[in-house]
Amino acid sequence: AGPGGNVAHVGVHCYSSTDLYNWKNEGVALAISKDPTSEITDGCIIERPKVLYNAKTKKYVMWFHLELKGQGYAAARCGIATSDTPAGPYTYLKSIRPDAGAWPLDVTDDDRKGKVARDFTTGQMARDMTLFQDDDGTAYLVASSEDNGKIHVSQLTDDYLGTPGKYVRALYWSEAPAVFKHDGRYYMIVSGCSGWAPNAATIGVASSMLGKWTSLGNPCRGEPGQLKTTFESQSTAVLPVAGQPDAFIFMGDRWRPDNAIDGRYVWLPIQFENGMPVLKWLPHWDLTVFPPAPASK
Ligand code: GAL
């Protein structure tokens, strides 16, 4: 409770559901450490944890935005932990800055003098982040880099425990990336950069994760105030509804930094208008808003 809740005192908590309506508390999946020398000691910052299942290693792999205790948002690292089961307990392995020693695939002459060059040896900054797993099992880290100036899309190694140095830059001055794939195209919803306060979202599209990303503008439809604040929320993930092709739920955070534990969620179905993903405010909705899944043969 209170502003003290903006740093980690417990760890990453897990809930599970079989229908998205009823939720079971699975407890703490990754516990912070009481050891003051640990990177995930009490008082560090852990944000936006995401988990993918790696079919080759049979491990659940968690990545999260890690800031080291007492350093504000300067460290800009990714924490990595693994578990044999989705709800954990996860074992903390290490933290990294992605893509150390590699130039982006779309490198420009400016990059060779700019922030990518500055962070070339240590690895690129990674703040707000998400993970995305493609149909062929290839996974990607998508993170705010270069002091939030650019989103980097980085391929993960086959074991999902690192980055082999294959990355591109996507949208500019963005945070809070949330990625999904629809109709063979990759979409990324992001926020602008205004800290805990909500702002207008942008949606980008690309024909491959490491391809060229193009902005399609604001995906929100509604009143100007709703468009300006993304329905008072900041994107955090897009959840594909299991078993229902083309059913996606936009998940956003309504932060309450003065009393962090009181933060809220906004979930809205992603709707498609002429193929363009859009978000509209619905005060009440359930899974029947999605087109019914085709009958199995
Ligand atoms: C937001 C970001 C949050 C958190 C916050 C800190 O812009 O999306 O994840 O880092 O800034 O001020």
Side-chain angles (χ1 to χ4, degrees):
N6 292 315
V7 302
H9 299 298
V10 179
V12 177
H13 212 111
C14 179
Y15 295 81
S16 68
S17 174
T18 55
D19 58 11
L20 301 179
Y21 299 117
N22 302 292
W23 290 84
K24 182 178 164 216
N25 184 352
E26 301 274 3
V28 175
L30 173 70
I32 56 121
S33 171
K34 294 289 173 195
D35 174 356
T37 65
S38 164
E39 289 189 326
I40 56 164
T41 192
D42 190 338
C44 72
I45 294 175
I46 295 179
E47 293 182 352
R48 299 177 181 273
K50 305 288 182 318
V51 171
L52 294 180
Y53 178 64
N54 187 298
K56 285 189 187 136
T57 62
K58 300 194 165 46
K59 293 279 184 194
Y60 291 85
V61 183
M62 179 191 291
W63 285 56
F64 53 90
H65 172 192
L66 172 68
E67 296 293 349
L68 303 175
K69 184 177 181 175
Q71 297 184 23
Y73 280 83
R77 302 181 72 79
C78 295
I80 304 168
T82 57
S83 168
D84 292 330
T85 53
Y90 284 76
T91 305
Y92 181 69
L93 299 184
K94 61 182 172 183
S95 76
I96 64 158
R97 274 212 175 172
D99 301 314
W103 294 109
L105 300 176
D106 55 353
V107 66
T108 63
D109 286 347
D110 282 350
D111 294 324
R112 296 193 189 274
K113 298 173 246 147
K115 290 185 176 166
V116 171
R118 177 194 66 190
D119 298 332
F120 187 83
T121 316
T122 52
Q124 300 297 315
M125 295 176 84
R127 287 189 180 133
D128 278 7
M129 52 71 68
T130 194
L131 297 180
F132 176 77
Q133 188 177 46
D134 211 341
D135 305 329
D136 66 356
T138 310
Y140 301 86
L141 167 74
V142 179
S144 292
S145 198
E146 302 182 50
D147 295 305
N148 297 348
K150 284 182 197 132
I151 296 264
H152 287 190
V153 179
S154 305
Q155 193 172 314
L156 299 191
T157 49
D158 284 353
D159 58 8
Y160 300 171
L161 300 180
T163 52
K166 278 174 83 176
Y167 67 111
V168 295
R169 277 73 52 75
L171 306 172
Y172 287 15
W173 295 112
S174 305
E175 293 189 317
V179 176
F180 64 104
K181 184 179 186 180
H182 163 70
D183 231 358
R185 275 190 290 231
Y186 301 81
Y187 291 93
M188 183 189 302
I189 299 178
V190 295
S191 74
C193 303
S194 53
W196 300 115
N199 57 51
T202 298
I203 186 164
V205 66
S207 54
S208 68
M209 284 299 286
L210 295 179
K212 185 174 160 37
W213 287 83
T214 309
S215 169
L216 298 173
N218 193 329
C220 300
R221 300 287 179 269
E223 303 295 325
Q226 295 177 319
L227 270 61
K228 246 190 263 171
T229 66
T230 314
F231 310 103
E232 292 171 65
S233 79
Q234 183 185 32
S235 40
T236 191
V238 171
L239 180 72
V241 180
Q244 253 183 279
D246 275 339
F248 300 98
I249 299 174
F250 166 85
M251 308 164 102
D253 289 300
R254 247 180 210 179
W255 303 114
R256 298 277 187 267
D258 294 339
N259 187 20
I261 204 166
D262 192 36
R264 308 295 172 101
Y265 303 108
V266 171
W267 288 21
L268 291 171
I270 295 189
Q271 304 183 50
F272 292 94
E273 279 183 3
N274 304 318
M276 161 86 182
V278 299
L279 296 172
K280 293 178 187 173
W281 182 250
L282 292 177
H284 302 283
W285 63 278
D286 63 27
L287 294 170
T288 60
V289 300
F290 295 115
S296 51
K297 289 188 192 126

